[in-house]
Amino acid sequence: MCGIIGYRGEREAQPVILSGLNKLEYRGYDSAGVAIIGDGGLGIEKMEGKISRLEEALVKSPKPGNVGIGHTRWATHGEPSDVNAHPHQGCGDNFGLVHNGIIENHRKLRKDLESRGHRFSSDTDTEVLIHLVEEQEGSLEDKVRSALGEVKGTFAIAVVSEEEPDKIVGARRGSPLVVGSTDREKLIASDIPAILDYTREVIYLEDDQIVSLTESEIEITDFQGNRVEAETRSVDWDPVAAQKEGYKHFMLKEINEQPQAVGDTLRGRNFKDGGLRMDEGGLEESEIAEADKIFVVACGTSYYAGRVAKYVWEQYLDVPIEVEIGSEFRYRTPPLDENSLVVGISQSGETADTLAGIEKALENDSTVASVVNVLGSTVTRRSDAVLYTHAGPEIGVASTKAFTSQLVALSLLGLEIARIKGNISVSEAEKAAEKLSRAPGLLQEQLDNVGRIKELAEVFYEKDDFLFLGRDVLYPVALEGALKLKEISYIHAEGYPAGELKHGPIALIDEKMPVVALITKNSVYDKVYSNIEEVRARKGKIIVFTDELTEDTKNIADELIQLPRAEKVLTPLIFTVPLQLLAYHIAVLRGTDVDQPRNLAKSVTVE
């Protein structure tokens, strides 16, 4: 959600900031703006709509200067509009501030500020921050520190001031903020892609820290003013990886990158040295051996990856496994204790509800392992052990390669837990991991058959509703297939366990309803086939994806997609790719914004 970019250095700030904003478009936004300090003082331009509108305005009225901040806003408080766009200025117009997050006590703060004579121009919660800053004393970082002492909620902010024109001050609590630097330039951003063109050396700001960027240094302090020594990390993402490289959309590029992403996730993880190599930290074998319950905590697509993992893990783990939606888990009272293992899953590593679930686990002395894509993100820093998916930057809002990479990473993690607990031997874990090595080739095979999926999209793209059915390990895949379709095409789609058809969804079936049926020989084939017979009897339009081609399936299906047979652990991967392609090509035919679907943000960093 929202995007922040700040620059101070030798170049003109405006083009650097606009470039960064364009690379943050995937996070979702409805307005954009910049604040740049030059010889003429502080220049601000902001407006509702796409960054291209802002760029056109800045061509007519450029903002010269070497220090500045920019923002893409995803509306929470106050409708999308020019006045509600960031940056915000306050009464004196000599400050500029951008903010990601939510200020929970903004109503009280606004009332107090208005009683002291402050005049507000927007409906946002953010504006209270800059009014608080401008009435404080001291340096810009002192002003920010004092102002944030009155705030409740989550925030990542960047502030500039005419009073100290060479400086950018940032701060975070709950929303991500990363700092990058070279010898002559300093940058601050909400996500790595915004600064990859300029540096790969980054510092991840921790909660309740303030950073000051000047020509000579990067100074980080805590909210009490104590200096903090921060670790600089090197990011191995290639800037070119965040470009479309000839593809029409980032989503299509990322669908096609899945063989590479899955291969990179698997590389070097084969149990040949006895156990699974974790990327950061490690699983304490004594704690895992004693673990008597497992909670998998995630949101959205990552939650469906967790649902798949439950089916896979239950084949060789004999402890209860619960898969929890982060926003529900954080407010429940699950039986967490020192014998609990909590597995967090997050592409960004900044998902607010997943983070809250991890904090809940840590408060109860549980062990936390995480599967994450982004190096050094907050989830990774709060986990005892981390397994990275190595999928590279995922720009499309609708997750694709992150999901399939999570599936293989979670399969490996489950094998390691089972090995530690003595449920399988090292050689059995090694053989099971070896089966996963087929995944990249099988994924590529599905990508090579895209022509049949395009034909399918042309038949059904004008439909208003879809039903996706699956059982066992393909039930979560049905959920994910429905999610992809609704996210990017705006078609109402639901995923259901096929066995639940007669418990409600069958009432929707008529000759207009497309039903996507996922059938695998690996699990309850005959039962799913019987469920599809029930759809046929009610004249539903049946689209069958199956790895078991028989005369029966040929006869029952209106449309049939044959998939290759493989081990059960690979089945979700094989079925996922054609569903992603179906959603993509239907969305293209409907003319939607595939990479930036309406109302959605890439990373949900606020509750």
Side-chain angles (χ1 to χ4, degrees), residues 104 461 513 572:
E104 296 172 2
Y461 78 95
M513 172 68 83

Side-chain angles (χ1 to χ4, degrees), residues 143-330:
K143 292 176 186 287
V144 169
R145 184 178 293 109
S146 298
L148 293 178
E150 300 185 41
V151 166
K152 295 179 182 178
T154 59
F155 50 80
I157 66 170
V159 190
V160 292
S161 168
E162 289 183 354
E163 297 172 2
E164 298 180 71
D166 189 47
K167 182 184 292 184
I168 300 174
V169 172
R172 72 155 284 180
R173 176 186 291 161
S175 291
L177 208 56
V178 60
V179 177
S181 66
T182 66
D183 290 341
R184 298 173 180 267
E185 298 175 302
K186 309 291 190 299
L187 300 106
I188 191 168
S190 49
D191 207 352
I192 291 170
I195 61 176
L196 270 182
D197 284 341
Y198 308 99
T199 182
R200 297 188 192 179
E201 302 303 308
V202 301
I203 296 170
Y204 295 93
L205 214 62
E206 299 283 358
D207 276 350
D208 291 352
Q209 288 184 347
I210 294 174
V211 61
S212 174
L213 308 180
T214 62
E215 180 180 5
S216 59
E217 67 174 343
I218 297 172
E219 181 182 70
I220 299 175
T221 56
D222 60 23
F223 276 20
Q224 288 71 50
N226 303 308
R227 184 119 184 197
V228 175
E229 295 300 323
E231 177 185 3
T232 300
R233 295 172 178 250
S234 182
V235 178
D236 61 2
W237 288 358
D238 184 344
V240 176
Q243 307 304 313
K244 291 181 183 176
E245 297 179 0
Y247 287 97
K248 185 175 182 180
H249 297 100
F250 281 114
M251 183 180 178
L252 183 59
K253 172 176 177 279
E254 289 154 8
I255 289 173
N256 280 275
E257 287 175 339
Q258 287 177 110
Q260 175 78 40
V262 167
D264 289 345
T265 299
L266 290 170
R267 187 168 292 114
R269 290 173 169 150
N270 50 25
F271 292 85
K272 291 187 182 298
D273 296 325
L276 178 67
R277 173 182 57 81
M278 304 298 286
D279 291 288
E280 292 187 8
L283 296 173
E284 289 292 334
E285 298 208 0
S286 60
E287 294 177 354
I288 300 303
E290 294 297 320
D292 57 15
K293 49 194 170 299
I294 299 174
F295 296 92
V296 180
V297 181
C299 301
T301 287
S302 296
Y303 168 69
Y304 296 147
R307 294 284 293 267
V308 172
K310 176 182 170 75
Y311 284 106
V312 174
W313 291 3
E314 284 178 339
Q315 297 175 78
Y316 37 75
L317 286 173
D318 55 3
V319 297
I321 303 167
E322 300 296 332
V323 186
E324 304 276 358
I325 295 174
S327 56
E328 294 294 318
F329 184 75
R330 66 185 296 184

Side-chain angles (χ1 to χ4, degrees), residues 73 93 119 166 172 293 371 391 398 420 448 546 554 556 581 587:
R73 177 181 186 248
D93 290 344
R119 304 178 308 279
D166 189 47
R172 72 155 284 180
K293 49 194 170 299
V371 173
I420 293 172
D448 292 340
T546 184
K554 289 179 182 178
I556 201 172
L581 288 168

